[in-house]
Amino acid sequence: MPAMIAPSILAADFSNLKAAIDMINDSEADWFHVDVMDGVFVPNISFGFPVMKTLQTHAKKMLDVHLMIIDPDKYIEDFKKAGANVLAVHYEVCRNLHRTIQAIKHHGMKASVAINPHTPISALTDIINDVDIVLVMSVNPGFGGQKFIQHTFDKVLRLKQLIIESSSKAKIEIDGGVDLDNALPLIRAGADILVAGNTVFSSPNPRETIKFLKDPL
Ligand code: DX5
Ligand code: ZN
């Protein structure tokens, strides 16, 4: 089964954001991946609502918003209003994750929980039936263009097992360092959605790259 592809807009040329949005609109990509960083949870600051507004106006596909911020609860409604369809919050910052997940769903968005490379799959046992997506970080969050952490494969296999054992409907999304070589093994390990930033935007033909990542056979 082909994977869903969510190109990360963080890797786009911001001097021509509209061109990047049009490229994704016209490609086989499924979602826009939107990385919001606060400089506190991660050592980088990306962008916020003004960029969301541009995406909301021009994007013709779902906005998969990845919040790398310390207090996501404060902004759930704002991101809904800004056009988010999927909202990912980090496990590591949520003191009441169950409540946060319910609030995201209450606002009509798909609820995604993101886990850092050091966070064990076992931490998800009691939330796996409540989330729509688990966003497995395959790099330490904060920057695009980093090297894929190989241990992610082992985590994906264990997450897939947890999902099956719990009869959960959660999808597995992989974020960070996804490339032309690891896409197929990731899909085979159980990944449903692949985020790709640099692999898409630094390639000579981003549309073709998206097509390949989707069904890399
Ligand atoms: C990292 C972000 C990723 C990043 C992916 O903190 O969450 O979504 O943009 O970029 P690549 O595919 O270049 O690693
Ligand atoms: Zn991301």
Side-chain angles (χ1 to χ4, degrees):
M1 206 164 93
M4 290 174 65
I5 304 298
S8 170
I9 209 77
L10 186 67
D13 174 1
F14 276 75
S15 68
N16 201 347
L17 185 54
K18 175 70 165 52
I21 296 171
D22 288 342
M23 183 280 289
I24 296 174
N25 280 339
D26 296 340
S27 75
E28 290 184 29
D30 297 272
W31 293 348
F32 287 75
H33 186 79
V34 187
D35 289 307
V36 177
M37 305 177 183
D38 67 354
V40 181
F41 176 60
V42 289
N44 195 12
I45 297 174
S46 58
F47 49 73
F49 293 110
V51 170
M52 283 294 300
K53 182 119 208 88
T54 304
L55 287 163
Q56 189 177 24
T57 307
H58 300 288
K60 294 183 185 145
K61 296 176 180 181
M62 300 233 297
L63 302 184
D64 172 33
V65 179
H66 177 189
L67 296 183
M68 286 161 272
I69 67 176
I70 54 163
D71 203 353
D73 297 84
K74 258 187 181 164
Y75 299 103
I76 291 172
E77 195 172 348
D78 295 319
F79 277 100
K80 171 65 187 175
K81 285 187 185 147
N85 304 98
V86 180
L87 200 62
V89 294
H90 266 267
Y91 173 86
E92 298 81 12
V93 299
C94 291
R95 272 169 289 194
N96 296 285
L97 181 59
H98 185 271
R99 179 181 290 150
T100 305
I101 294 296
Q102 302 310 321
I104 294 171
K105 289 181 170 175
H106 174 77
H107 284 89
M109 296 177 283
K110 283 187 192 289
S112 172
V113 61
I115 55 168
N116 271 345
H118 72 274
T119 299
I121 294 301
S122 56
L124 300 173
T125 309
D126 292 295
I127 200 73
I128 197 70
N129 287 99
D130 297 289
V131 296
D132 297 300
I133 296 157
V134 178
L135 180 58
V136 179
M137 290 308 300
S138 37
V139 297
N140 287 295
F143 304 92
Q146 300 183 81
K147 194 171 172 294
F148 181 85
I149 298 171
Q150 289 297 326
H151 180 64
T152 308
F153 282 111
D154 184 51
K155 288 182 84 170
V156 173
L157 291 171
R158 280 182 286 123
L159 175 56
K160 186 77 194 173
Q161 202 177 340
L162 174 65
I163 288 171
I164 292 168
E165 281 168 6
S166 322
S167 307
S168 159
K169 293 196 172 67
K171 301 285 183 212
I172 301 176
E173 181 170 358
I174 311 297
D175 187 10
V178 171
D179 62 24
L180 303 180
D181 295 323
N182 58 27
L184 183 59
L186 281 169
I187 296 168
R188 288 198 170 138
D192 301 292
I193 307 150
L194 301 177
V195 174
N198 274 269
T199 295
V200 166
F201 285 100
S202 326
S203 74
N205 189 336
R207 274 190 202 86
E208 279 301 313
T209 302
I210 291 168
K211 191 181 163 82
F212 177 84
L213 289 171
K214 203 171 167 64
D215 210 356
L217 280 175

